[in-house]
Amino acid sequence: MLVAPYIDAFNPPRRTLMGPGPSDVYPEVLAAQARPTIGHLDPLFVGMMDELKSLIQYAFQTENEMTLAVSAPGSAGMETCFVNLVEAGEKVIVCRNGVFGERMRQNVERVGATAIVVDNEWGEPVSVADVEAALIANPDAKFLAFVHAETSTGALSDAKSLCALAKQHDCLSIVDAVTSVGGVELRVDEWGIDAIYAGSQKCLSCVPGLSPVSFSPAAVAKLKSRKTPVQSWFLDQTLVMGYWSGTADNSAKRSYHHTAPVNALYALHESLRLLANEGLESAWQRHADMHQVLRQGLEGLGLKFVVDEASRLPQLNAVYIPEGVDDAAVRKQLLENYNLEIGAGLGALAGKAWRIGLMGYGARRENVALCLKALEDVLK
Amino acid sequence: MLVAPYIDAFNPPRRTLMGPGPSDVYPEVLAAQARPTIGHLDPLFVGMMDELKSLIQYAFQTENEMTLAVSAPGSAGMETCFVNLVEAGEKVIVCRNGVFGERMRQNVERVGATAIVVDNEWGEPVSVADVEAALIANPDAKFLAFVHAETSTGALSDAKSLCALAKQHDCLSIVDAVTSVGGVELRVDEWGIDAIYAGSQKCLSCVPGLSPVSFSPAAVAKLKSRKTPVQSWFLDQTLVMGYWSGTADNSAKRSYHHTAPVNALYALHESLRLLANEGLESAWQRHADMHQVLRQGLEGLGLKFVVDEASRLPQLNAVYIPEGVDDAAVRKQLLENYNLEIGAGLGALAGKAWRIGLMGYGARRENVALCLKALEDVLK
């Protein structure tokens, strides 16, 4: 026998999470998650899932029947959209203005489809004009895929215009809303988004590990008309929907697909419930307001934003690291002396920028104050 | 705006979970999960992950470097093994004696490989002789895949002999240990298992949603020699390992792949810590002992086991539903009047058998007593 390791219980400190996610989790969500586990086919659990579905519909502002939470993080939500909708040989226009657009491209290639990449600079929004040109140049494209709120740069793209363009050119739109949902305006039905995925750990202030997704009727029709099986068994929505809302034929019976992450779903239910109680528009306004307070303070410290004001995300503030300042040392001091986490730069911005999150429950005045004072102290 | 639904907080009752999983969760695990969320790149979190890795190694009895928890349920662990190791066109011998062997076959086909199916009756273990015949008849097979403990029937297969056969015929073994780990003897290194996956929600008595996996050096070599990229981005272990243990080149730096399910990993850390404190052999013995008490009681009620004694799992007791008894009504009474969940039959056993779990923290004398008395009352 290999000997058992002797390991103490893990007692994490209480940090203030102002990175790119996970964000500060609502205390109510942590408490909800610790409630007793019940079976994933228990009638009470199934009732909770019905509520959860209506809460996700609210957060996305959609009446899409196919709305659920993928039992895995946002990256799996992204993959869910691509492997279910896109088939080998099809053409997808992928907008790339940061890490997550590039990840979309990789997803397209891994299903054997062709990605037509529309590149914009890191820190810029997706160019609506460039996308229109790509759509015109590629009349056989079937999808337009873009990131609403780029977590790697803090740039917000014009999802409404992009989805309108997609529709005009007979493309289905696939939208990454991991960082946008709950933090900025997002209207799935009104804007005509066909497939959307999010993450639990950003502006929803839930624990990380789940990905709310939603498919429009047009996306569902595409899924049903597939010529080949979905390459992933785990993410195959034709199977998963048998559990989330009876079969596609609308039988009421829930059939087993995989064991749902019961306690994590309690947590998501609670976080979305808190969002619904606050009201989406109030939450959007709170993010905008707290961003203004943070912005003034950061500019007062002489820090410059990566993204122009017009397309700046309130919930993800990327600022350039001042010359001569040791990136890692600053973040270490904030973490060790103030229990404050801010994010490092990612990809092209690694070592050049910090990413300061104001997400969900974290978008509060006390967090802004702590961040500004701690940065002031450390940068002195 | 779509109107916010008004929904109350979800307060699940305290059930005794004696189905096929999720099992009763240790109270310490629920408490661990509710501790404050910290960042997935926080040095303290990374230290916790190192401990978690050694705890998974202990539970599997392996020194495999590539040992980690997939950020999704057991079904995703299964898919992780198949999509990383098996390439299109390769041949896999798949043993099917229940639902999960069939699921393995579907995984094989979805990577474009060929499944040679060895069928055994539901309730029987995998036949070592039949597998040997299949290996001889298919000298070009590269993998042998089987389920150690079939959750749909309660049959235990002889993993040690099957893996020895695989080795003899130059096949890598892929083993489903979702229900076996922690409940019955399992020795990855000693038995020569090449790829193994488990689930958090069975004999580990953690919350559902994670899948510990481990790859032998031979499996890692196969992964590294792939001619094509892994079809799943999310489950691509060449990328995931960059986060779990630095890069494949052993650099110490953790690179971001996806946001780890932080709180769920706290829970798994705690559940495996409790298992290590008890000791694997003690846990195996406890499952065997409690099974004997349950068995005597069930037989005293006139119930008959689906699986022969020689290959019966202590942690998953499938018994035939007596003639004239209403399956659903009995389970409903147990749930509503005793807060006790037992499992329905699955697949070929649906409506014909109940599955009574004695898993992890659930394998206790008080659970056995409650189950026997409640069944006695309800069947009267």
Side-chain angles (χ1 to χ4, degrees):
Chain A
M1 288 293 287
L2 297 178
V3 174
Y6 183 77
I7 288 173
D8 274 330
F10 182 61
N11 278 298
R14 191 172 298 280
R15 307 279 205 208
T16 299
L17 300 180
M18 298 182 73
S23 63
D24 271 3
V25 174
Y26 294 107
E28 295 91 331
V29 166
L30 291 175
Q33 201 192 14
R35 296 202 178 113
T37 307
I38 62 175
H40 57 114
L41 296 169
D42 191 308
L44 295 177
F45 185 69
V46 165
M48 193 281 298
M49 285 175 69
D50 286 338
E51 293 178 351
L52 180 51
K53 179 176 164 179
S54 73
L55 287 163
I56 299 172
Q57 287 174 322
Y58 172 70
F60 279 150
Q61 288 288 294
T62 183
E63 292 178 324
N64 287 341
E65 182 54 32
M66 196 181 242
T67 299
L68 51 83
V70 173
S71 304
S75 307
M78 179 189 285
E79 191 160 324
T80 296
C81 291
F82 286 97
V83 297
N84 280 279
L85 298 178
V86 183
E87 288 188 84
E90 291 183 332
K91 205 181 253 190
V92 184
I93 295 181
V94 176
C95 306
R96 183 169 60 181
N97 62 334
V99 163
F100 296 93
E102 164 59 16
R103 187 173 293 184
M104 283 180 151
R105 187 193 66 75
Q106 293 179 27
N107 269 271
V108 168
E109 302 214 326
R110 288 186 191 218
V111 296
T114 304
I116 306 292
V117 178
V118 175
D119 267 313
N120 283 100
E121 289 297 318
W122 283 55
E124 287 180 10
V126 171
S127 156
V128 175
D130 291 358
V131 168
E132 183 163 31
L135 284 163
I136 291 167
N138 295 278
D140 55 339
K142 293 207 170 158
F143 299 92
L144 170 66
F146 67 90
V147 178
H148 187 206
E150 242 307 339
T151 322
S152 60
T153 66
L156 176 67
S157 290
D158 179 356
K160 186 179 180 180
S161 299
L162 291 168
C163 290
L165 265 182
K167 199 128 296 184
Q168 213 176 302
H169 291 266
D170 284 330
C171 282
L172 294 175
S173 51
I174 299 178
V175 179
D176 179 321
V178 171
T179 289
S180 63
V181 68
V184 288
E185 186 181 14
L186 170 67
R187 301 173 191 271
V188 167
D189 285 358
E190 201 178 312
W191 295 352
I193 294 174
D194 290 301
I196 189 163
Y197 58 91
S200 49
Q201 80 285 11
K202 311 273 187 187
C203 297
L204 303 182
S205 279
C206 179
V207 293
L210 293 173
S211 178
V213 299
S214 185
F215 284 13
S216 74
V220 173
K222 175 73 170 76
L223 170 58
K224 285 189 177 164
S225 70
R226 287 183 66 94
K227 286 163 204 75
T228 52
V230 175
Q231 70 187 25
S232 168
W233 188 90
F234 173 58
L235 300 176
D236 185 340
Q237 294 306 290
T238 63
L239 303 176
V240 173
M241 280 308 284
Y243 176 60
W244 268 84
S245 64
T247 65
D249 310 302
N250 238 349
S251 135
K253 190 169 179 293
R254 302 246 171 184
S255 60
Y256 164 67
H257 177 258
H258 64 268
T259 303
V262 174
N263 294 66
L265 290 168
Y266 295 169
L268 185 61
H269 179 275
E270 183 63 14
S271 70
L272 288 169
R273 206 180 70 80
L274 294 170
L275 177 63
N277 285 358
E278 178 177 10
L280 264 179
E281 284 166 312
S282 302
W284 298 339
Q285 190 59 49
R286 177 169 51 82
H287 282 85
D289 293 345
M290 290 304 104
H291 164 73
Q292 286 309 328
V293 183
L294 180 70
R295 179 188 64 78
Q296 283 174 17
L298 291 173
E299 288 175 352
L301 294 173
L303 296 169
K304 288 188 179 14
F305 276 80
V306 170
V307 176
D308 281 349
E309 199 165 350
S311 48
R312 202 176 282 165
L313 283 169
Q315 64 269 49
L316 199 287
N317 298 268
V319 289
Y320 289 110
I321 300 168
E323 246 174 274
V325 166
D326 183 336
D327 171 18
V330 167
R331 286 186 291 109
K332 192 171 180 226
Q333 284 179 66
L334 294 175
L335 195 66
E336 292 183 358
N337 301 342
Y338 299 84
N339 269 310
L340 171 65
E341 178 178 272
I342 66 167
L346 188 63
L349 293 174
K352 296 183 187 154
W354 291 316
R355 291 179 297 157
I356 302 176
L358 276 178
M359 296 178 172
Y361 178 63
R364 283 172 296 149
R365 210 168 275 271
E366 56 264 47
N367 279 17
V368 175
L370 168 65
C371 179
L372 290 174
K373 189 67 177 85
L375 265 176
E376 186 188 329
D377 289 356
V378 168
L379 289 175
K380 214 170 344 200
Chain B
M1 287 293 284
L2 297 178
V3 175
Y6 182 77
I7 288 172
D8 274 330
F10 182 60
N11 277 298
R14 191 171 298 278
R15 307 279 205 208
T16 299
L17 300 180
M18 298 183 73
S23 64
D24 271 3
V25 174
Y26 294 108
E28 296 91 332
V29 166
L30 290 175
Q33 201 192 14
R35 295 200 179 114
T37 306
I38 61 175
H40 58 114
L41 297 168
D42 191 307
L44 294 178
F45 186 70
V46 165
M48 194 282 298
M49 284 175 69
D50 287 338
E51 293 179 350
L52 181 52
K53 179 176 165 180
S54 73
L55 287 164
I56 299 173
Q57 287 174 322
Y58 172 71
F60 279 150
Q61 288 288 294
T62 184
E63 292 179 323
N64 287 340
E65 180 56 31
M66 193 179 244
T67 299
L68 52 84
V70 172
S71 304
S75 307
M78 178 189 287
E79 191 160 324
T80 297
C81 291
F82 286 97
V83 298
N84 280 278
L85 298 178
V86 183
E87 288 187 87
E90 291 183 333
K91 207 181 252 190
V92 184
I93 295 180
V94 177
C95 306
R96 182 169 61 178
N97 62 336
V99 164
F100 296 94
E102 164 58 17
R103 188 174 292 184
M104 283 180 149
R105 187 192 66 75
Q106 293 180 26
N107 270 270
V108 169
E109 302 214 325
R110 288 185 191 220
V111 297
T114 303
I116 307 292
V117 177
V118 175
D119 267 313
N120 283 101
E121 289 297 318
W122 283 54
E124 287 180 10
V126 172
S127 157
V128 176
D130 291 357
V131 168
E132 182 162 30
L135 285 163
I136 291 168
N138 295 278
D140 54 339
K142 294 206 169 159
F143 299 91
L144 170 66
F146 67 90
V147 178
H148 187 206
E150 236 315 331
T151 321
S152 60
T153 67
L156 177 67
S157 291
D158 179 357
K160 186 178 179 181
S161 299
L162 291 169
C163 290
L165 265 182
K167 199 129 294 180
Q168 213 175 300
H169 291 267
D170 283 330
C171 281
L172 295 176
S173 51
I174 299 178
V175 179
D176 179 321
V178 170
T179 289
S180 63
V181 68
V184 287
E185 187 182 10
L186 172 65
R187 301 174 191 272
V188 167
D189 286 359
E190 201 178 309
W191 296 352
I193 294 173
D194 290 301
I196 190 165
Y197 58 90
S200 49
Q201 81 284 11
K202 311 271 188 187
C203 297
L204 303 181
S205 279
C206 179
V207 292
L210 294 173
S211 179
V213 299
S214 185
F215 284 13
S216 73
V220 173
K222 175 73 171 75
L223 171 58
K224 286 188 178 164
S225 70
R226 287 184 65 97
K227 286 163 206 76
T228 53
V230 175
Q231 69 187 26
S232 169
W233 188 91
F234 173 58
L235 300 176
D236 185 339
Q237 295 307 291
T238 62
L239 303 176
V240 173
M241 281 308 284
Y243 176 60
W244 268 84
S245 62
T247 65
D249 309 303
N250 238 349
S251 135
K253 190 169 178 294
R254 302 247 172 184
S255 61
Y256 163 67
H257 176 258
H258 64 269
T259 303
V262 173
N263 293 66
L265 291 168
Y266 294 170
L268 185 62
H269 180 276
E270 182 64 13
S271 70
L272 289 168
R273 205 180 71 79
L274 293 171
L275 177 63
N277 284 359
E278 178 178 8
L280 263 179
E281 285 166 312
S282 303
W284 297 340
Q285 190 58 51
R286 178 169 51 81
H287 282 85
D289 292 346
M290 289 304 104
H291 164 70
Q292 286 309 329
V293 183
L294 180 71
R295 179 188 63 77
Q296 281 174 18
L298 292 174
E299 288 175 351
L301 294 173
L303 296 169
K304 288 187 179 16
F305 275 81
V306 170
V307 176
D308 282 348
E309 199 166 349
S311 48
R312 203 176 281 164
L313 283 169
Q315 64 269 47
L316 199 286
N317 298 268
V319 289
Y320 288 111
I321 300 167
E323 247 176 89
V325 166
D326 183 335
D327 172 19
V330 167
R331 287 186 289 108
K332 192 172 179 224
Q333 283 180 65
L334 293 175
L335 194 67
E336 292 184 357
N337 301 341
Y338 299 84
N339 269 310
L340 170 65
E341 178 178 90
I342 66 167
L346 189 63
L349 293 174
K352 294 181 188 156
W354 290 317
R355 292 179 296 157
I356 303 176
L358 276 178
M359 297 177 171
Y361 177 64
R364 283 172 296 149
R365 210 169 274 271
E366 57 265 46
N367 278 18
V368 174
L370 168 65
C371 179
L372 289 173
K373 189 67 178 86
L375 265 176
E376 186 188 329
D377 290 356
V378 169
L379 289 176
K380 211 162 0 194

PDB file of all heavy atoms in Angstrom, chain B residues 77 93 154 188 195 299 314 360:
ATOM      1  N   GLY B  77     -15.088  12.718 -17.116  1.00  0.00           N
ATOM      2  CA  GLY B  77     -13.856  11.979 -16.858  1.00  0.00           C
ATOM      3  C   GLY B  77     -13.714  10.838 -17.858  1.00  0.00           C
ATOM      4  O   GLY B  77     -12.626  10.593 -18.397  1.00  0.00           O
ATOM      5  N   ILE B  93     -11.318  -2.483 -27.580  1.00  0.00           N
ATOM      6  CA  ILE B  93     -12.199  -3.538 -27.076  1.00  0.00           C
ATOM      7  C   ILE B  93     -12.963  -2.977 -25.883  1.00  0.00           C
ATOM      8  O   ILE B  93     -12.364  -2.521 -24.906  1.00  0.00           O
ATOM      9  CB  ILE B  93     -11.394  -4.787 -26.708  1.00  0.00           C
ATOM     10  CG1 ILE B  93     -10.789  -5.348 -28.005  1.00  0.00           C
ATOM     11  CG2 ILE B  93     -12.276  -5.831 -26.006  1.00  0.00           C
ATOM     12  CD1 ILE B  93      -9.972  -6.578 -27.860  1.00  0.00           C
ATOM     13  N   GLY B 154     -24.537  -3.332 -10.127  1.00  0.00           N
ATOM     14  CA  GLY B 154     -23.889  -3.748  -8.884  1.00  0.00           C
ATOM     15  C   GLY B 154     -22.889  -4.879  -9.064  1.00  0.00           C
ATOM     16  O   GLY B 154     -22.547  -5.564  -8.102  1.00  0.00           O
ATOM     17  N   VAL B 188      -4.122   0.963  -8.751  1.00  0.00           N
ATOM     18  CA  VAL B 188      -3.802   1.369 -10.128  1.00  0.00           C
ATOM     19  C   VAL B 188      -2.411   0.909 -10.552  1.00  0.00           C
ATOM     20  O   VAL B 188      -2.251   0.282 -11.609  1.00  0.00           O
ATOM     21  CB  VAL B 188      -3.975   2.900 -10.289  1.00  0.00           C
ATOM     22  CG1 VAL B 188      -3.367   3.400 -11.586  1.00  0.00           C
ATOM     23  CG2 VAL B 188      -5.467   3.256 -10.241  1.00  0.00           C
ATOM     24  N   ALA B 195      -5.317   4.145 -17.723  1.00  0.00           N
ATOM     25  CA  ALA B 195      -6.119   5.377 -17.610  1.00  0.00           C
ATOM     26  C   ALA B 195      -7.319   5.052 -16.753  1.00  0.00           C
ATOM     27  O   ALA B 195      -7.981   4.026 -16.960  1.00  0.00           O
ATOM     28  CB  ALA B 195      -6.559   5.865 -18.981  1.00  0.00           C
ATOM     29  N   GLU B 299     -32.329  -9.968   2.646  1.00  0.00           N
ATOM     30  CA  GLU B 299     -32.734 -11.357   2.423  1.00  0.00           C
ATOM     31  C   GLU B 299     -33.827 -11.755   3.412  1.00  0.00           C
ATOM     32  O   GLU B 299     -34.752 -12.500   3.072  1.00  0.00           O
ATOM     33  CB  GLU B 299     -31.522 -12.284   2.496  1.00  0.00           C
ATOM     34  CG  GLU B 299     -30.623 -12.113   1.261  1.00  0.00           C
ATOM     35  CD  GLU B 299     -29.322 -12.916   1.307  1.00  0.00           C
ATOM     36  OE1 GLU B 299     -29.006 -13.503   2.372  1.00  0.00           O
ATOM     37  OE2 GLU B 299     -28.615 -12.927   0.280  1.00  0.00           O
ATOM     38  N   PRO B 314     -20.224  -4.365  -2.598  1.00  0.00           N
ATOM     39  CA  PRO B 314     -20.805  -4.008  -1.303  1.00  0.00           C
ATOM     40  C   PRO B 314     -21.524  -2.658  -1.347  1.00  0.00           C
ATOM     41  O   PRO B 314     -22.540  -2.471  -0.675  1.00  0.00           O
ATOM     42  CB  PRO B 314     -19.598  -3.950  -0.367  1.00  0.00           C
ATOM     43  CG  PRO B 314     -18.403  -3.840  -1.238  1.00  0.00           C
ATOM     44  CD  PRO B 314     -18.762  -4.498  -2.542  1.00  0.00           C
ATOM     45  N   GLY B 360     -19.373   5.342   0.801  1.00  0.00           N
ATOM     46  CA  GLY B 360     -18.589   6.305   1.560  1.00  0.00           C
ATOM     47  C   GLY B 360     -19.198   6.568   2.928  1.00  0.00           C
ATOM     48  O   GLY B 360     -19.449   5.645   3.706  1.00  0.00           O
TER      49      GLY B 360
END
